[in-house]
Amino acid sequence: MSSTHDRTTRYQKGSLTLPGTVMLGTGVMIGAGIFALTGQMAQMTGVLFPLAFLAAAVIVSFSAYSYIKISNAYPSAGGIGMYLHKAYGNRLPTAFNALLMYFSMVIAQSFLARTFGSYTMQLFDGDESGRMVPILGVSLILAAFLINLLGSRMIQGVASFIGILKIGGILVFGLVGIWIADSVSVDFSSPGEAGTFGNFLGATALGILAFKGFTTITNSGSEVIDPKRNVGRAIIISIAACVVIYTLVGFAVASNLSLAEIIKTQDYSLAAAARPALGDYGVWFTVAIAMMATAGGILASIFAVSRMLAMLTEMKLVPHSHFGMPGSIQKHTLVYTVVLGLILTAFFDLSRIAALGIIFYLIMDIAIHWGVLRYLREDVKANVWVPTVAIVLDLLALGGFVWVKLNTDLFVIGVAVVTMIVIAVAEQLFLKKATEAEEAGHKESHAHHH
């Protein structure tokens, strides 16, 4: 069989080091969260938004426990798809929740791409026409696609280089922003209407988007050197690094802009916060970091999510068509992932992309914890109380977020519900058909034997 039509997935065992894995994780986390979510969270919960970031970190810390326990027991390049399969087997909950995770990761790419466009346009006094942001976003996804075709060592090298520059740059922004601010006090005493508990929970749910990139580390599974130790370590290091960075940046933004200014500039609030503090040079510096951060995030995310879809395809949990394309399944899933990301980037705005992403992610996250409690507790040696607390916290955040959106943007809740119904029905039909085909095959082979 020629290599051009090799349909198998190809994983390079031991090709990712611990620092490289951490950079992939923080690459996705820092890219999505800090640049565009700050303003959206401020709009939802007012001056309490730095505390919402910390609340999100607490929820994610409880969530990470289940992922670390499963990855220690079953390191796999299929990551979350494989974890769900271990818990639920070849059934609808596996396929449905794995596809929710897949879509939430593709949504994260579109979110990054749009953020890249919003920040880049600050070099040209914004985007009044509304056309340049999606065009720049689409261009970035295509560039990341080309780099992804070059293999995991190339991605690790590029992501690590971008990651070091980005994390250094954001730390400088945070420290300098706080240093030159008139005061580092954020007035939490009068959050007003936006400070209600439901709004705070909604903002916390958005904040989880800034941390959920840690799950891409699980998708690197068997490609990580000594995965049973290093996947868990990489997750813990990534979350800890992001807590420090987000706290710094949150206070730097809140110290340099009024709440009204943060909300007005919500798609590019870090660049706006740099202007009063550091003038045009500060804006250019911040835009450069944002461009690197979002580019690195997309690179790492496409790398991880295409592998996850390839694993689901190999497990015969999702339908797959080659559409006449040569190459491996992994190359095909890369193409599907990129095409879906391009569509979302072109047609959805930032706040709606974020809303869809967080709803899908939290539902899938609850399914992971329930799978650990119900089916895997003995196998992975998990305590009962940690996943239980994780489920309760996820439900609180999801409930708060849905409540806010029901009152402000019913359309996005409608899209989320319809998408989930379509996924569930299509998967149920596909799995039923696959089971029937398998049974027919068994009967045929049995008849041949007689």
Side-chain angles (χ1 to χ4, degrees), residues 32 44 52 91 118 138 153 165 221 230 263 280 299 318 335 361 373 406 411 431 450:
M44 216 175 258
R91 295 187 304 129
S118 296
V138 162
R153 283 192 190 279
L165 289 178
N230 284 337
I263 293 168
D280 282 345
L299 200 60
V318 294
V335 172
Y361 172 74
L373 280 177
L406 282 172
F411 173 76
L431 291 172
H450 290 280

Side-chain angles (χ1 to χ4, degrees), residues 18-28 156 159-160 163-164 166-167 238 300:
L18 176 61
T21 310
V22 169
M23 283 301 168
L24 277 176
T26 52
V28 177
Q156 182 182 324
S160 296
I164 291 162
K166 170 176 67 179
I167 291 167
S238 298

Side-chain angles (χ1 to χ4, degrees), residues 129-256:
S129 72
R131 278 196 287 275
M132 282 311 295
V133 166
I135 288 170
L136 287 166
V138 162
S139 307
L140 177 63
I141 289 179
L142 289 172
F145 169 63
L146 294 174
I147 295 172
N148 263 275
L149 290 174
L150 300 172
S152 65
R153 283 192 190 279
M154 176 70 179
I155 298 158
Q156 182 182 324
V158 174
S160 296
F161 176 69
I162 290 174
I164 291 162
L165 289 178
K166 170 176 67 179
I167 291 167
I170 293 174
L171 281 171
V172 168
F173 169 87
L175 291 167
V176 171
I178 288 173
W179 178 264
I180 59 174
D182 295 335
S183 68
V184 187
S185 61
V186 180
D187 182 13
F188 295 128
S189 60
S190 55
E193 158 110 31
T196 59
F197 186 58
N199 284 51
F200 183 77
L201 286 175
T204 300
L206 268 180
I208 290 169
L209 264 191
F211 290 98
K212 86 175 187 73
F214 83 83
T215 58
T216 56
I217 294 170
T218 66
N219 292 62
S220 307
S222 53
E223 293 187 287
V224 180
I225 295 165
D226 191 7
K228 291 197 174 192
R229 289 172 68 203
N230 284 337
V231 170
R233 283 178 177 178
I235 287 171
I236 293 164
I237 295 166
S238 298
I239 292 171
C242 286
V243 170
V244 173
I245 290 165
Y246 292 166
T247 306
L248 262 179
V249 170
F251 279 99
V253 170
S255 303
N256 284 290

Side-chain angles (χ1 to χ4, degrees), residues 92 95-96 99 103 316-319 418-434:
L92 184 61
F96 175 76
L99 284 176
F103 284 117
K316 297 186 170 53
L317 283 171
V318 294
V418 169
T419 306
M420 287 190 285
I421 290 169
V422 168
I423 291 171
V425 171
E427 272 301 325
Q428 184 62 40
L429 291 172
F430 170 73
L431 291 172
K432 193 178 172 207
K433 207 169 153 190

Side-chain angles (χ1 to χ4, degrees), residues 110-385:
S110 309
F111 189 70
L112 288 164
R114 278 263 178 178
T115 305
F116 174 84
S118 296
Y119 272 84
T120 304
M121 287 313 295
Q122 295 317 298
L123 299 175
F124 310 97
D125 298 322
D127 179 21
E128 296 304 320
S129 72
R131 278 196 287 275
M132 282 311 295
V133 166
I135 288 170
L136 287 166
V138 162
S139 307
L140 177 63
I141 289 179
L142 289 172
F145 169 63
L146 294 174
I147 295 172
N148 263 275
L149 290 174
L150 300 172
S152 65
R153 283 192 190 279
M154 176 70 179
I155 298 158
Q156 182 182 324
V158 174
S160 296
F161 176 69
I162 290 174
I164 291 162
L165 289 178
K166 170 176 67 179
I167 291 167
I170 293 174
L171 281 171
V172 168
F173 169 87
L175 291 167
V176 171
I178 288 173
W179 178 264
I180 59 174
D182 295 335
S183 68
V184 187
S185 61
V186 180
D187 182 13
F188 295 128
S189 60
S190 55
E193 158 110 31
T196 59
F197 186 58
N199 284 51
F200 183 77
L201 286 175
T204 300
L206 268 180
I208 290 169
L209 264 191
F211 290 98
K212 86 175 187 73
F214 83 83
T215 58
T216 56
I217 294 170
T218 66
N219 292 62
S220 307
S222 53
E223 293 187 287
V224 180
I225 295 165
D226 191 7
K228 291 197 174 192
R229 289 172 68 203
N230 284 337
V231 170
R233 283 178 177 178
I235 287 171
I236 293 164
I237 295 166
S238 298
I239 292 171
C242 286
V243 170
V244 173
I245 290 165
Y246 292 166
T247 306
L248 262 179
V249 170
F251 279 99
V253 170
S255 303
N256 284 290
L257 291 178
S258 69
L259 182 60
E261 287 170 323
I262 295 170
I263 293 168
K264 187 182 169 197
T265 61
Q266 61 175 297
D267 289 353
Y268 52 91
S269 51
L270 265 68
R275 196 179 296 278
L278 301 163
D280 282 345
Y281 291 116
V283 174
W284 298 338
F285 175 72
T286 309
V287 168
I289 300 166
M291 288 168 74
M292 281 191 294
T294 47
I298 282 185
L299 200 60
S301 181
I302 288 177
F303 172 76
V305 75
S306 60
R307 275 160 166 62
M308 182 182 151
L309 189 59
M311 183 65 83
L312 289 174
T313 306
E314 282 199 333
M315 286 152 69
K316 297 186 170 53
L317 283 171
V318 294
H320 180 81
S321 171
H322 303 310
F323 293 112
M325 289 185 289
S328 66
I329 284 174
Q330 214 166 283
K331 290 279 195 297
H332 304 164
T333 56
L334 189 61
V335 172
Y336 306 154
T337 300
V338 166
V339 169
L340 199 52
L342 292 175
I343 293 166
L344 282 166
T345 306
F347 299 110
F348 272 71
D349 69 19
L350 267 176
S351 64
R352 282 180 165 167
I353 289 172
L356 282 174
I358 197 58
I359 291 167
F360 291 171
Y361 172 74
L362 284 173
I363 290 170
M364 183 286 308
D365 197 52
I366 291 164
I368 288 275
H369 304 314
W370 178 249
V372 168
L373 280 177
R374 181 83 178 74
Y375 302 108
L376 298 176
R377 199 171 77 240
E378 306 285 317
D379 295 353
V380 303
K381 299 178 177 63
N383 287 321
V384 175
W385 71 273

